[in-house]
Amino acid sequence: MSISSYRVLAIASLAVILTACGTTSKRDTSLVHPKRTQVQRVAFNPSDIVQGSGTTMLVGRAYLGDQFQERVANLVDVVLNPVSKASEQWYQEVCRRGKVLTGPVDPNYERRRYLAKTNSYGQFAFSNVPKGEYYLTTRLYWMDTKPARGPVQYGGLLAQRVRLDAATHTIDLNQQHRCPGYFH
């Protein structure tokens, strides 16, 4: 073997080594969520809803905060859902226990809910809502894209049962109202 053959072999070997060092394995960056237990949705009965006479107003903010940072529910839906057997089931099975409700949602149930959108500060408002008891809910998620093992999603659902009986209420959704079944 001549010196030029050794050079070619050395250069080829070096190229293979450098290529192997420069190759990065493709990392799975998809989020993996645990499989959740399914529960059949109860039938909605409009007579379950008890509302008082007159209307009220609700304003508030949706956020999570501590002494270091605040995360705001930015431009997301906030739902005001009248207390009924169907909304109780959602709160107990989904929010508290982390399960999934299956079966079609009754259109009459959906029509009884009130929706508001938060602004960029997490503020929301409901006006002219019948007095009564409701579940106030929203979601607040964010991504951490820097961990070594790929992106991690944090946050989840926030919910609380509220009684609206005065002219105006100010009620926030924050870390005290995390749904333990749907929060990371």
Side-chain angles (χ1 to χ4, degrees), residues 49-147:
I49 297 173
V50 178
Q51 292 178 324
S53 61
T55 60
T56 187
M57 181 174 178
L58 168 65
V59 296
R61 263 183 93 223
Y63 64 94
L64 297 172
D66 59 26
Q67 66 269 25
F68 302 109
Q69 183 174 354
E70 181 177 86
R71 299 220 180 251
V72 175
N74 185 354
L75 305 174
V76 297
D77 289 333
V78 178
V79 179
L80 197 55
N81 195 357
V83 171
S84 67
K85 288 180 183 165
S87 63
E88 262 305 319
Q89 182 194 34
W90 177 88
Y91 185 75
Q92 293 302 323
E93 297 296 340
V94 176
C95 179
R96 306 303 301 162
R97 296 184 184 109
K99 297 179 181 177
V100 175
L101 298 181
T102 62
V105 178
D106 187 321
N108 293 317
Y109 177 72
E110 287 186 325
R111 280 193 284 274
R112 298 301 293 263
R113 299 180 308 165
Y114 297 88
L115 297 173
K117 183 81 70 182
T118 60
N119 64 16
S120 59
Y121 302 104
Q123 299 167 325
F124 58 87
F126 294 92
S127 59
N128 297 318
V129 176
K131 293 179 181 178
E133 283 192 78
Y134 296 87
Y135 284 105
L136 178 64
T137 65
T138 194
R139 59 188 167 79
L140 198 163
Y141 290 99
W142 68 94
M143 294 290 294
D144 182 354
T145 57
K146 305 270 182 183

